[in-house]
């Protein structure tokens, strides 16, 4: 049996896992890039072709990409220097004959590399994931009954990564339909963290408040928690985009592509309630 020509990177991540499950449900063969196949199968709930891929080990890229025509590319989350880690992988993908890139497009330089390669691509842009509440705020919500991020009164249309994975599966299934497009994916409404705290309070049945820290208060608290200056600087820069109003716009792309409304923040919290209580 030949190796599937679709490679899903970060296959057990916030986007890769729902994408992998959707591809399996659709009956589309794919290869899952992972560092631990056994753990991947446990998370998938099924077995599929796998290759070992570690973003920090470029020597393994050529073997992982052998025979691959479609690459779903999602960089490592919460990893300093993630953009630089992707450069040799994209270079190898171009050299190895990948014809279609589906990229979770958080890095402009990587987007430019792909555009300039002459290969087909679809960029999926979803600025702020609902799953970031799990990644950055679980202890604050569960133990301190608060949201603590330096976003001020800025708003963001938080998007569920399950919706992004479902859209990515549609792009993989119908690549020509989305050729050389950049698709902006958002939740149904933009909201500030005071509004988000209200939804958490309602679903969790406990009072969650947004402390609205300024950058200095956030820095001081995170230093006390033991985080590095580089990490804190990166978080202030990222969440500053919400504070400044740069990412408040919404999109109807998910509804158009999936023929249903995008998941709401309430949907997400109800599905993951056990994480926060």
């Amino acid at each position: 049996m030949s190796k599937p020509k679709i490679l899903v990177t970060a296959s057990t991540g916030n986007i890769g896992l729902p994408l992998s499950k959707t591809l399996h449900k659709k009956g589309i063969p794919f290869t899952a890039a992972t560092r631990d196949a056994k753990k991947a199968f446990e998370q998938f709930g099924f077995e599929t072709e796998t290759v070992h891929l570690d973003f920090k080990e470029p020597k393994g890229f050529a073997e992982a990409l052998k025979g691959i025509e479609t690459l779903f590319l999602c960089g490592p989350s919460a990893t300093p220097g993630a953009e630089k880690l992707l450069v040799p992988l994209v270079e190898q993908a171009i050299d190895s004959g990948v014809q279609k890139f589906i990229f979770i497009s958080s890095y402009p330089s990587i987007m430019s590399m792909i555009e300039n390669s002459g290969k087909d691509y679809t960029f999926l842009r979803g600025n702020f994931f609902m799953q970031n509440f799990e990644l950055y705020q679980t202890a604050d919500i569960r133990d301190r009954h608060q949201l603590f991020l330096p976003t001020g009164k800025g708003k963001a249309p938080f998007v569920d990564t399950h919706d992004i994975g479902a859209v990515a599966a549609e792009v993989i299934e119908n690549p020509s339909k989305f050729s050389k497009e950049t698709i902006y994916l958002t939740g149904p409404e933009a909201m500030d963290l005071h509004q988000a705290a209200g939804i958490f309070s309602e679903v969790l049945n406990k009072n969650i408040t947004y402390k609205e820290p300024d950058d200095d208060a956030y820095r001081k608290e995170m230093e006390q928690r033991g985080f590095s200056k580089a990490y804190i600087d990166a978080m202030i820069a990222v969440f500053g985009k919400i504070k400044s109003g740069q990412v408040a716009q919404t999109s109807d792309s998910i509804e158009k592509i999936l023929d249903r409304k995008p998941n709401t923040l309430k949907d997400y919290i109800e599905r993951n309630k056990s994480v926060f209580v």
Side-chain angles (χ1 to χ4, degrees), residues 152-170:
K153 292 180 171 58
K155 294 186 176 185
F158 299 104
V159 61
D160 190 348
T161 58
H162 285 207
D163 285 342
I164 300 176
V167 168
E170 290 294 319

Side-chain angles (χ1 to χ4, degrees), residues 41-171:
F41 294 153
E42 289 172 357
Q43 290 183 265
F44 293 158
F46 58 85
E47 291 191 8
T48 187
E49 188 78 21
T50 64
V51 293
H52 181 83
L53 190 146
D54 187 327
F55 289 111
K56 296 179 180 179
E57 298 177 1
K59 65 180 183 293
F61 292 167
E63 182 62 28
L65 290 161
K66 189 180 295 182
I68 296 299
E69 295 179 359
T70 298
L71 175 64
F72 172 78
L73 181 60
C74 182
S77 62
T79 302
E83 187 170 2
K84 290 182 179 179
L85 288 176
L86 290 179
V87 171
L89 180 59
V90 172
E91 289 175 339
Q92 183 63 60
I94 294 167
D95 290 344
S96 295
V98 168
Q99 297 301 309
K100 173 79 177 189
F101 289 83
I102 298 103
F103 178 44
I104 304 300
S105 52
S106 48
Y107 305 119
S109 67
I110 303 300
M111 293 168 70
S112 294
M113 283 181 66
I114 295 170
E115 285 177 314
N116 293 334
S117 72
K119 308 292 188 178
D120 193 18
Y121 63 84
T122 303
F123 297 145
L124 304 179
R125 304 201 66 170
N127 282 317
F128 289 93
F129 305 152
M130 294 176 186
Q131 281 70 12
N132 285 345
F133 288 109
E134 286 175 66
L135 188 60
Y136 302 117
Q137 292 286 276
T138 295
D140 276 293
I141 294 167
R142 185 188 60 219
D143 304 330
R144 304 180 185 97
H145 297 187
Q146 67 177 15
L147 298 180
F148 193 82
L149 295 170
T151 60
K153 292 180 171 58
K155 294 186 176 185
F158 299 104
V159 61
D160 190 348
T161 58
H162 285 207
D163 285 342
I164 300 176
V167 168
E170 290 294 319
V171 174

Side-chain angles (χ1 to χ4, degrees), residues 170-195:
E170 290 294 319
V171 174
I172 289 172
E173 188 173 25
N174 304 286
S176 61
K177 186 176 178 181
F178 305 98
S179 178
K180 297 189 176 178
E181 286 191 18
T182 297
I183 306 172
Y184 185 51
L185 304 173
T186 77
E189 65 173 316
M191 65 180 69
D192 62 32
L193 288 196
H194 290 290
Q195 293 170 283

